Amino acid sequence: MNGLVTVLSAGASRTPPFIEELGRMMLPAPGQEILAYLAFAFYAGLIAAGGLAAVLARNLVRAMLGLVVTFLGVAGMYLLMASPFMAFMQLLIYIGAISVLIFFAIMLVRNTSSGEEMNLPGLCQAGGALVSAAAAAALCGPVIALNAGRLNQPGPPGETPLAELGEGLLSYYVAPLELISIVLLVAMAGGVLLAWDQRYRGRQ
Amino acid sequence: MDISLLNVIKLLLALLAIIVLLVLNSVVMVWLERKAAGFVQRRPGPYVVGPHGLLQTVADSVKLLAKQIVLPGSSDRLLFLSAPVLAMFPMFLIFLVIPYGPWLTGLEVNLGLLLILAFTGLETLAVIAGGWASNNKYSLIGAARCVSQSVAYEIPLILALLALAFMCGSLDLTVITEAQSGWVWRWNIFRQPLAFFIFVITCFGETNRAPFDLPEGESELTGGYHTEYSGMGFALFFMAEYTSMMLVSFLAAVLFFGGSNGPFINGFWWTFLKMGLFMTFMIWVRWTFPRVRFDQLLNINWKWLLPLGLLNLWVTAVVLKLF
């Protein structure tokens, strides 16, 4: 029995020379860079297309699916930035939970598939677009301005180890983390309040 | 980044093997399921086409391939057609990261468990998109049930798997397998029995299998979310169900039963054997238990599994800290 095990494991670990040869045939660096640019363009396209679909769709569920496509694109961007943990968390939380809950909310509120939920007057739409653009600029502008000097660093970014990420969340970034959970608590309290009100009215 | 020719060839071969595996799995498991159902209900099951009805599923597949896809009049065409594809597509990626054997993994990633959890969420999305796009009240009710069920059951599932990740100190499936090497009592089922209990129950909830197959619910919803689907659309949803069954069986084998570690001569055959046994168990459960009511389904989850999962996580953390 032991002899058989040795033979099997030896067969598994010994690689034939032509396979080693194939392992040494690397894609040259410019090719890798072109691939990275192509991936970036693809994900950026996904984000833009999903965002446009979310804003322009006349139907709430289609708008939600546009949002999902945007989330997918953002997850891809995280992968490109060498943070797979963030990418998978993005998929798990934003696509697996949040969009599904948004869908649930849409179905509870209204379930016509004919759409036509979007019937705001033109002025409101323009105002809304302006406010959201201003919010995005206010959030992203300072970050870009502060890190502008580091944009042209050569080489791909390094991957942060998971343990370091966890330690950071529980030491340096502990205050923002707790604040986020307070926001969630407020949302939950709001949900309970709404449900309470409806139940009370239903009894009357 | 190391994009060598060898890695690309390996990835393509793995994808090809996975496609073959998924198709074969559906064909064999549908036959086995119908045979098991027949056995449980004291009837022969399929027996006309081929010896013991072995070719019945092949004939059914050809029939489904040739059938017309009927589009409901007022459906959302784009979503209706893309939902079955979305249900099947993430599976190919998920099966790449499962360590079938010591050297048999399509793509080695150190966050394998997280990747699997992340991409299974897309299947829920496919079900709700399909159910909504059909513009049929049964489909919509099925989709709504699927949403509340899978969101609810994901929480205890993640809590149970988190306890395992705590114990092994990694989300890498290969590391978790290696931690169970040695002898049988080092398997996680003996070290985390409560996590395994929660995992088994949530498996049925996440794969929408009886006794938790409320999104389909033939007796009250005709076909649930796939009422309006015909031809290949239906076949893809059907395949997705059997594929997710195989996925949770592989997960059970790798996470709780030691993966490729067997009592003797370790190798990928143990993973496949354990997977097959777990799938047979799921079929057995389906034909033994009646479907639960929806409020019962959610009560089991929120009132029992969630506190149990938290307790298990807490005990694991305390034990790890103390010893």
Side-chain angles (χ1 to χ4, degrees):
Chain A
M1 190 65 84
N2 274 330
L4 186 63
V5 172
T6 344
V7 168
L8 278 176
S9 54
S13 62
R14 195 183 59 234
T15 33
F18 76 95
I19 287 188
E20 280 180 8
E21 191 65 34
L22 279 179
R24 263 182 258 117
M25 287 169 75
M26 299 290 241
L27 192 67
Q32 287 199 18
E33 212 172 301
I34 289 172
L35 267 188
Y37 278 123
L38 280 180
F40 180 83
F42 175 69
Y43 293 135
L46 269 191
I47 293 174
L52 281 180
V55 175
L56 297 177
R58 299 198 63 81
N59 176 315
L60 257 183
V61 174
R62 282 217 169 171
M64 200 264 315
L65 286 166
L67 192 67
V68 168
V69 171
T70 307
F71 287 152
L72 270 179
V74 173
M77 285 292 184
Y78 283 133
L79 272 184
L80 267 188
M81 287 187 278
S83 44
F85 183 73
M86 286 292 287
F88 297 147
M89 277 300 179
Q90 167 89 9
L91 287 181
L92 181 68
I93 295 172
Y94 281 91
I95 295 181
I98 292 191
S99 353
V100 167
L101 284 180
I102 292 176
F103 188 86
F104 203 48
I106 293 172
M107 275 198 299
L108 283 182
V109 174
R110 176 181 298 175
N111 55 11
T112 53
S113 72
S114 55
E116 313 301 316
E117 277 100 352
M118 191 177 82
N119 44 12
L120 285 170
L123 200 64
C124 277
Q125 275 183 13
L130 212 65
V131 168
S132 23
L139 284 173
C140 301
V143 177
I144 295 174
L146 283 176
N147 294 310
R150 301 199 309 195
L151 276 181
N152 285 323
Q153 274 182 350
E159 194 181 330
T160 317
L162 255 189
E164 213 171 287
L165 248 158
E167 265 180 36
L169 275 182
L170 287 181
S171 57
Y172 187 71
Y173 295 106
V174 70
L177 190 73
E178 296 294 322
L179 278 178
I180 289 172
S181 52
I182 290 177
V183 170
L184 289 181
L185 183 75
V186 170
M188 222 161 85
V192 170
L193 195 73
L194 282 176
W196 211 272
D197 193 38
Q198 272 179 2
R199 182 176 283 185
Y200 178 70
R201 274 187 201 154
R203 288 245 175 92
Q204 272 186 335
Chain B
M1 293 282 274
D2 50 336
I3 309 178
S4 73
L5 199 56
L6 179 65
N7 286 357
V8 174
I9 292 175
K10 198 181 150 193
L11 210 60
L12 289 180
L13 277 181
L15 265 179
L16 195 68
I18 285 166
I19 293 173
V20 172
L21 176 71
L22 298 195
V23 172
L24 265 183
N25 168 64
S26 306
V27 169
V28 173
M29 288 318 285
V30 171
W31 174 81
L32 188 67
E33 172 122 50
R34 292 178 63 181
K35 270 291 178 194
F39 178 73
V40 170
Q41 298 169 348
R42 291 200 170 185
R43 54 188 176 81
Y47 68 98
V48 174
V49 191
H52 292 279
L54 259 173
L55 296 176
Q56 180 67 52
T57 351
V58 180
D60 285 348
S61 321
V62 172
K63 180 196 76 180
L64 281 172
L65 270 172
K67 263 176 106 171
Q68 183 195 2
I69 296 181
V70 183
L71 279 168
S74 50
S75 66
D76 190 325
R77 215 163 259 244
L78 177 73
L79 274 183
F80 187 82
L81 292 177
S82 57
V85 182
L86 186 65
M88 208 47 216
F89 182 68
M91 289 296 176
F92 299 123
L93 185 66
I94 292 173
F95 276 85
L96 273 181
V97 303
I98 294 176
Y100 302 97
W103 43 268
L104 197 67
T105 312
L107 181 71
E108 279 171 33
V109 286
N110 54 0
L111 295 169
L113 192 54
L114 192 62
L115 187 145
I116 290 174
L117 288 173
F119 278 92
T120 42
L122 286 176
E123 214 201 326
T124 315
L125 203 67
V127 167
I128 56 180
W132 180 82
S134 306
N135 196 19
N136 173 322
K137 60 186 171 210
Y138 296 124
S139 304
L140 195 68
I141 295 173
R145 284 180 172 186
C146 177
V147 172
S148 45
Q149 177 175 335
S150 58
V151 166
Y153 273 80
E154 204 163 322
I155 300 169
L157 176 69
I158 291 179
L159 285 177
L161 297 185
L162 204 57
L164 276 193
F166 264 28
M167 220 174 59
C168 302
S170 173
L171 291 167
D172 191 340
L173 290 171
T174 321
V175 173
I176 295 178
T177 312
E178 273 165 15
Q180 303 174 66
S181 62
W183 192 234
V184 173
W185 55 75
R186 288 185 55 83
W187 290 0
N188 278 332
I189 182 175
F190 299 112
R191 297 201 284 178
Q192 286 278 359
L194 192 57
F196 179 68
F197 177 70
I198 297 169
F199 176 81
V200 168
I201 296 178
T202 51
C203 271
F204 291 103
E206 283 283 310
T207 52
N208 302 332
R209 290 276 304 178
F212 299 155
D213 61 343
L214 275 297
E216 273 183 57
E218 295 93 342
S219 53
E220 66 254 35
L221 295 182
T222 53
Y225 61 88
H226 58 59
T227 304
E228 294 288 353
Y229 279 92
S230 53
M232 270 324 274
F234 172 73
L236 277 179
F237 267 130
F238 211 58
M239 256 180 84
E241 183 188 327
Y242 281 92
T243 308
S244 54
M245 240 174 102
M246 180 162 69
L247 172 69
V248 295
S249 306
F250 266 127
L251 274 186
V254 168
L255 295 174
F256 289 98
F257 292 102
S260 54
N261 301 302
F264 48 86
I265 316 182
N266 302 338
F268 67 88
W269 40 84
W270 284 111
T271 323
F272 278 84
L273 179 72
K274 289 162 188 169
M275 182 274 290
L277 287 178
F278 197 82
M279 276 183 94
T280 319
F281 167 73
M282 286 184 88
I283 290 176
W284 181 24
V285 167
R286 172 171 176 185
W287 297 103
T288 307
F289 289 104
R291 185 179 298 134
V292 297
R293 247 181 14 238
F294 200 67
D295 57 319
Q296 292 171 329
L297 172 92
L298 290 182
N299 275 348
I300 300 168
N301 181 69
W302 294 112
K303 292 187 182 166
W304 289 99
L305 294 183
L306 185 64
L308 271 181
L310 284 173
L311 180 77
N312 185 46
L313 194 63
W314 183 76
V315 170
T316 311
V318 168
V319 168
L320 279 180
K321 193 74 192 165
L322 288 184
F323 300 105

PDB file of all heavy atoms in Angstrom, chain B residues 38-61:
ATOM      1  N   GLY B  38     -39.061   7.042  -7.699  1.00  0.00           N
ATOM      2  CA  GLY B  38     -39.826   5.835  -7.978  1.00  0.00           C
ATOM      3  C   GLY B  38     -39.653   4.811  -6.871  1.00  0.00           C
ATOM      4  O   GLY B  38     -40.620   4.208  -6.402  1.00  0.00           O
ATOM      5  N   PHE B  39     -38.429   4.661  -6.411  1.00  0.00           N
ATOM      6  CA  PHE B  39     -38.140   3.687  -5.354  1.00  0.00           C
ATOM      7  C   PHE B  39     -38.900   4.046  -4.082  1.00  0.00           C
ATOM      8  O   PHE B  39     -39.514   3.189  -3.444  1.00  0.00           O
ATOM      9  CB  PHE B  39     -36.634   3.653  -5.104  1.00  0.00           C
ATOM     10  CG  PHE B  39     -36.232   2.725  -3.994  1.00  0.00           C
ATOM     11  CD1 PHE B  39     -36.270   1.352  -4.186  1.00  0.00           C
ATOM     12  CD2 PHE B  39     -35.830   3.227  -2.776  1.00  0.00           C
ATOM     13  CE1 PHE B  39     -35.916   0.499  -3.161  1.00  0.00           C
ATOM     14  CE2 PHE B  39     -35.469   2.375  -1.748  1.00  0.00           C
ATOM     15  CZ  PHE B  39     -35.515   1.004  -1.943  1.00  0.00           C
ATOM     16  N   VAL B  40     -38.869   5.363  -3.737  1.00  0.00           N
ATOM     17  CA  VAL B  40     -39.530   5.787  -2.507  1.00  0.00           C
ATOM     18  C   VAL B  40     -41.039   5.602  -2.629  1.00  0.00           C
ATOM     19  O   VAL B  40     -41.700   5.198  -1.675  1.00  0.00           O
ATOM     20  CB  VAL B  40     -39.169   7.263  -2.201  1.00  0.00           C
ATOM     21  CG1 VAL B  40     -40.020   7.804  -1.080  1.00  0.00           C
ATOM     22  CG2 VAL B  40     -37.706   7.369  -1.844  1.00  0.00           C
ATOM     23  N   GLN B  41     -41.586   5.862  -3.813  1.00  0.00           N
ATOM     24  CA  GLN B  41     -43.038   5.797  -3.981  1.00  0.00           C
ATOM     25  C   GLN B  41     -43.503   4.451  -4.511  1.00  0.00           C
ATOM     26  O   GLN B  41     -44.637   4.340  -4.988  1.00  0.00           O
ATOM     27  CB  GLN B  41     -43.487   6.923  -4.922  1.00  0.00           C
ATOM     28  CG  GLN B  41     -43.179   8.293  -4.354  1.00  0.00           C
ATOM     29  CD  GLN B  41     -43.360   9.404  -5.369  1.00  0.00           C
ATOM     30  OE1 GLN B  41     -43.504   9.128  -6.564  1.00  0.00           O
ATOM     31  NE2 GLN B  41     -43.356  10.632  -4.914  1.00  0.00           N
ATOM     32  N   ARG B  42     -42.648   3.452  -4.495  1.00  0.00           N
ATOM     33  CA  ARG B  42     -42.996   2.090  -4.911  1.00  0.00           C
ATOM     34  C   ARG B  42     -43.514   2.019  -6.329  1.00  0.00           C
ATOM     35  O   ARG B  42     -44.596   1.496  -6.612  1.00  0.00           O
ATOM     36  CB  ARG B  42     -44.058   1.500  -3.964  1.00  0.00           C
ATOM     37  CG  ARG B  42     -43.506   1.249  -2.604  1.00  0.00           C
ATOM     38  CD  ARG B  42     -44.393   0.262  -1.939  1.00  0.00           C
ATOM     39  NE  ARG B  42     -43.802  -0.216  -0.706  1.00  0.00           N
ATOM     40  CZ  ARG B  42     -44.338  -1.171   0.030  1.00  0.00           C
ATOM     41  NH1 ARG B  42     -45.440  -1.741  -0.366  1.00  0.00           N
ATOM     42  NH2 ARG B  42     -43.759  -1.566   1.115  1.00  0.00           N
ATOM     43  N   ARG B  43     -42.781   2.612  -7.253  1.00  0.00           N
ATOM     44  CA  ARG B  43     -43.061   2.457  -8.679  1.00  0.00           C
ATOM     45  C   ARG B  43     -41.719   2.368  -9.370  1.00  0.00           C
ATOM     46  O   ARG B  43     -40.683   2.696  -8.778  1.00  0.00           O
ATOM     47  CB  ARG B  43     -43.902   3.626  -9.194  1.00  0.00           C
ATOM     48  CG  ARG B  43     -43.298   4.975  -8.908  1.00  0.00           C
ATOM     49  CD  ARG B  43     -44.247   6.105  -9.259  1.00  0.00           C
ATOM     50  NE  ARG B  43     -43.662   7.386  -8.873  1.00  0.00           N
ATOM     51  CZ  ARG B  43     -42.772   8.045  -9.596  1.00  0.00           C
ATOM     52  NH1 ARG B  43     -42.377   7.574 -10.754  1.00  0.00           N
ATOM     53  NH2 ARG B  43     -42.276   9.191  -9.179  1.00  0.00           N
ATOM     54  N   PRO B  44     -41.681   1.897 -10.622  1.00  0.00           N
ATOM     55  CA  PRO B  44     -40.369   1.636 -11.235  1.00  0.00           C
ATOM     56  C   PRO B  44     -39.601   2.890 -11.647  1.00  0.00           C
ATOM     57  O   PRO B  44     -38.389   2.826 -11.815  1.00  0.00           O
ATOM     58  CB  PRO B  44     -40.713   0.785 -12.459  1.00  0.00           C
ATOM     59  CG  PRO B  44     -42.140   1.072 -12.733  1.00  0.00           C
ATOM     60  CD  PRO B  44     -42.788   1.381 -11.441  1.00  0.00           C
ATOM     61  N   GLY B  45     -40.252   4.017 -11.838  1.00  0.00           N
ATOM     62  CA  GLY B  45     -39.539   5.169 -12.374  1.00  0.00           C
ATOM     63  C   GLY B  45     -39.325   4.970 -13.864  1.00  0.00           C
ATOM     64  O   GLY B  45     -39.931   4.083 -14.468  1.00  0.00           O
ATOM     65  N   PRO B  46     -38.466   5.793 -14.498  1.00  0.00           N
ATOM     66  CA  PRO B  46     -38.254   5.615 -15.944  1.00  0.00           C
ATOM     67  C   PRO B  46     -37.597   4.265 -16.236  1.00  0.00           C
ATOM     68  O   PRO B  46     -36.603   3.922 -15.604  1.00  0.00           O
ATOM     69  CB  PRO B  46     -37.342   6.788 -16.311  1.00  0.00           C
ATOM     70  CG  PRO B  46     -36.695   7.195 -15.048  1.00  0.00           C
ATOM     71  CD  PRO B  46     -37.671   6.896 -13.965  1.00  0.00           C
ATOM     72  N   TYR B  47     -38.163   3.487 -17.180  1.00  0.00           N
ATOM     73  CA  TYR B  47     -37.522   2.203 -17.488  1.00  0.00           C
ATOM     74  C   TYR B  47     -37.665   1.814 -18.943  1.00  0.00           C
ATOM     75  O   TYR B  47     -37.247   0.729 -19.336  1.00  0.00           O
ATOM     76  CB  TYR B  47     -38.071   1.094 -16.590  1.00  0.00           C
ATOM     77  CG  TYR B  47     -39.520   0.736 -16.845  1.00  0.00           C
ATOM     78  CD1 TYR B  47     -39.854  -0.356 -17.628  1.00  0.00           C
ATOM     79  CD2 TYR B  47     -40.531   1.493 -16.291  1.00  0.00           C
ATOM     80  CE1 TYR B  47     -41.178  -0.662 -17.860  1.00  0.00           C
ATOM     81  CE2 TYR B  47     -41.842   1.193 -16.513  1.00  0.00           C
ATOM     82  CZ  TYR B  47     -42.176   0.109 -17.297  1.00  0.00           C
ATOM     83  OH  TYR B  47     -43.468  -0.187 -17.532  1.00  0.00           O
ATOM     84  N   VAL B  48     -38.241   2.677 -19.785  1.00  0.00           N
ATOM     85  CA  VAL B  48     -38.499   2.277 -21.166  1.00  0.00           C
ATOM     86  C   VAL B  48     -37.294   2.561 -22.058  1.00  0.00           C
ATOM     87  O   VAL B  48     -36.850   1.694 -22.816  1.00  0.00           O
ATOM     88  CB  VAL B  48     -39.754   3.002 -21.703  1.00  0.00           C
ATOM     89  CG1 VAL B  48     -39.937   2.693 -23.171  1.00  0.00           C
ATOM     90  CG2 VAL B  48     -40.968   2.583 -20.911  1.00  0.00           C
ATOM     91  N   VAL B  49     -36.733   3.782 -21.960  1.00  0.00           N
ATOM     92  CA  VAL B  49     -35.652   4.184 -22.862  1.00  0.00           C
ATOM     93  C   VAL B  49     -34.320   3.677 -22.314  1.00  0.00           C
ATOM     94  O   VAL B  49     -33.841   4.161 -21.294  1.00  0.00           O
ATOM     95  CB  VAL B  49     -35.619   5.715 -23.014  1.00  0.00           C
ATOM     96  CG1 VAL B  49     -34.690   6.110 -24.143  1.00  0.00           C
ATOM     97  CG2 VAL B  49     -37.005   6.258 -23.262  1.00  0.00           C
ATOM     98  N   GLY B  50     -33.721   2.727 -22.971  1.00  0.00           N
ATOM     99  CA  GLY B  50     -32.421   2.211 -22.529  1.00  0.00           C
ATOM    100  C   GLY B  50     -32.568   1.263 -21.355  1.00  0.00           C
ATOM    101  O   GLY B  50     -33.657   1.146 -20.778  1.00  0.00           O
ATOM    102  N   PRO B  51     -31.481   0.576 -20.980  1.00  0.00           N
ATOM    103  CA  PRO B  51     -31.546  -0.329 -19.840  1.00  0.00           C
ATOM    104  C   PRO B  51     -31.797   0.446 -18.557  1.00  0.00           C
ATOM    105  O   PRO B  51     -31.120   1.434 -18.282  1.00  0.00           O
ATOM    106  CB  PRO B  51     -30.159  -0.983 -19.835  1.00  0.00           C
ATOM    107  CG  PRO B  51     -29.296  -0.059 -20.601  1.00  0.00           C
ATOM    108  CD  PRO B  51     -30.159   0.628 -21.598  1.00  0.00           C
ATOM    109  N   HIS B  52     -32.809   0.068 -17.802  1.00  0.00           N
ATOM    110  CA  HIS B  52     -33.225   0.750 -16.574  1.00  0.00           C
ATOM    111  C   HIS B  52     -33.528   2.226 -16.828  1.00  0.00           C
ATOM    112  O   HIS B  52     -33.355   3.053 -15.937  1.00  0.00           O
ATOM    113  CB  HIS B  52     -32.156   0.629 -15.481  1.00  0.00           C
ATOM    114  CG  HIS B  52     -31.992  -0.771 -14.982  1.00  0.00           C
ATOM    115  ND1 HIS B  52     -32.826  -1.327 -14.049  1.00  0.00           N
ATOM    116  CD2 HIS B  52     -31.118  -1.742 -15.321  1.00  0.00           C
ATOM    117  CE1 HIS B  52     -32.465  -2.576 -13.815  1.00  0.00           C
ATOM    118  NE2 HIS B  52     -31.433  -2.857 -14.578  1.00  0.00           N
ATOM    119  N   GLY B  53     -33.942   2.565 -18.024  1.00  0.00           N
ATOM    120  CA  GLY B  53     -34.274   3.949 -18.327  1.00  0.00           C
ATOM    121  C   GLY B  53     -33.085   4.880 -18.337  1.00  0.00           C
ATOM    122  O   GLY B  53     -33.230   6.095 -18.207  1.00  0.00           O
ATOM    123  N   LEU B  54     -31.885   4.332 -18.519  1.00  0.00           N
ATOM    124  CA  LEU B  54     -30.673   5.149 -18.422  1.00  0.00           C
ATOM    125  C   LEU B  54     -30.626   6.259 -19.461  1.00  0.00           C
ATOM    126  O   LEU B  54     -30.043   7.309 -19.236  1.00  0.00           O
ATOM    127  CB  LEU B  54     -29.447   4.255 -18.585  1.00  0.00           C
ATOM    128  CG  LEU B  54     -28.725   3.884 -17.294  1.00  0.00           C
ATOM    129  CD1 LEU B  54     -27.641   2.876 -17.579  1.00  0.00           C
ATOM    130  CD2 LEU B  54     -28.123   5.126 -16.660  1.00  0.00           C
ATOM    131  N   LEU B  55     -31.227   6.010 -20.644  1.00  0.00           N
ATOM    132  CA  LEU B  55     -31.143   7.007 -21.714  1.00  0.00           C
ATOM    133  C   LEU B  55     -32.318   7.978 -21.691  1.00  0.00           C
ATOM    134  O   LEU B  55     -32.441   8.819 -22.573  1.00  0.00           O
ATOM    135  CB  LEU B  55     -31.074   6.299 -23.075  1.00  0.00           C
ATOM    136  CG  LEU B  55     -29.819   5.444 -23.263  1.00  0.00           C
ATOM    137  CD1 LEU B  55     -29.872   4.711 -24.583  1.00  0.00           C
ATOM    138  CD2 LEU B  55     -28.585   6.311 -23.198  1.00  0.00           C
ATOM    139  N   GLN B  56     -33.171   7.858 -20.661  1.00  0.00           N
ATOM    140  CA  GLN B  56     -34.353   8.717 -20.588  1.00  0.00           C
ATOM    141  C   GLN B  56     -33.965  10.191 -20.575  1.00  0.00           C
ATOM    142  O   GLN B  56     -34.529  11.000 -21.321  1.00  0.00           O
ATOM    143  CB  GLN B  56     -35.145   8.379 -19.321  1.00  0.00           C
ATOM    144  CG  GLN B  56     -36.391   9.200 -19.118  1.00  0.00           C
ATOM    145  CD  GLN B  56     -37.445   8.894 -20.169  1.00  0.00           C
ATOM    146  OE1 GLN B  56     -37.788   7.737 -20.378  1.00  0.00           O
ATOM    147  NE2 GLN B  56     -37.924   9.917 -20.850  1.00  0.00           N
ATOM    148  N   THR B  57     -32.987  10.579 -19.755  1.00  0.00           N
ATOM    149  CA  THR B  57     -32.609  11.993 -19.654  1.00  0.00           C
ATOM    150  C   THR B  57     -31.971  12.476 -20.942  1.00  0.00           C
ATOM    151  O   THR B  57     -32.136  13.629 -21.315  1.00  0.00           O
ATOM    152  CB  THR B  57     -31.630  12.239 -18.500  1.00  0.00           C
ATOM    153  OG1 THR B  57     -31.534  11.070 -17.725  1.00  0.00           O
ATOM    154  CG2 THR B  57     -32.083  13.362 -17.658  1.00  0.00           C
ATOM    155  N   VAL B  58     -31.226  11.587 -21.629  1.00  0.00           N
ATOM    156  CA  VAL B  58     -30.637  11.986 -22.908  1.00  0.00           C
ATOM    157  C   VAL B  58     -31.757  12.323 -23.891  1.00  0.00           C
ATOM    158  O   VAL B  58     -31.729  13.363 -24.558  1.00  0.00           O
ATOM    159  CB  VAL B  58     -29.740  10.854 -23.448  1.00  0.00           C
ATOM    160  CG1 VAL B  58     -29.131  11.263 -24.767  1.00  0.00           C
ATOM    161  CG2 VAL B  58     -28.666  10.509 -22.441  1.00  0.00           C
ATOM    162  N   ALA B  59     -32.767  11.452 -23.928  1.00  0.00           N
ATOM    163  CA  ALA B  59     -33.911  11.710 -24.823  1.00  0.00           C
ATOM    164  C   ALA B  59     -34.604  13.006 -24.436  1.00  0.00           C
ATOM    165  O   ALA B  59     -34.954  13.828 -25.299  1.00  0.00           O
ATOM    166  CB  ALA B  59     -34.884  10.542 -24.750  1.00  0.00           C
ATOM    167  N   ASP B  60     -34.760  13.233 -23.117  1.00  0.00           N
ATOM    168  CA  ASP B  60     -35.411  14.468 -22.666  1.00  0.00           C
ATOM    169  C   ASP B  60     -34.604  15.695 -23.074  1.00  0.00           C
ATOM    170  O   ASP B  60     -35.174  16.714 -23.464  1.00  0.00           O
ATOM    171  CB  ASP B  60     -35.573  14.446 -21.144  1.00  0.00           C
ATOM    172  CG  ASP B  60     -36.692  13.519 -20.726  1.00  0.00           C
ATOM    173  OD1 ASP B  60     -37.453  13.111 -21.615  1.00  0.00           O
ATOM    174  OD2 ASP B  60     -36.785  13.207 -19.526  1.00  0.00           O
ATOM    175  N   SER B  61     -33.260  15.581 -22.957  1.00  0.00           N
ATOM    176  CA  SER B  61     -32.429  16.731 -23.321  1.00  0.00           C
ATOM    177  C   SER B  61     -32.589  17.064 -24.794  1.00  0.00           C
ATOM    178  O   SER B  61     -32.705  18.239 -25.166  1.00  0.00           O
ATOM    179  CB  SER B  61     -30.954  16.451 -23.049  1.00  0.00           C
ATOM    180  OG  SER B  61     -30.799  15.744 -21.871  1.00  0.00           O
TER     181      SER B  61
END
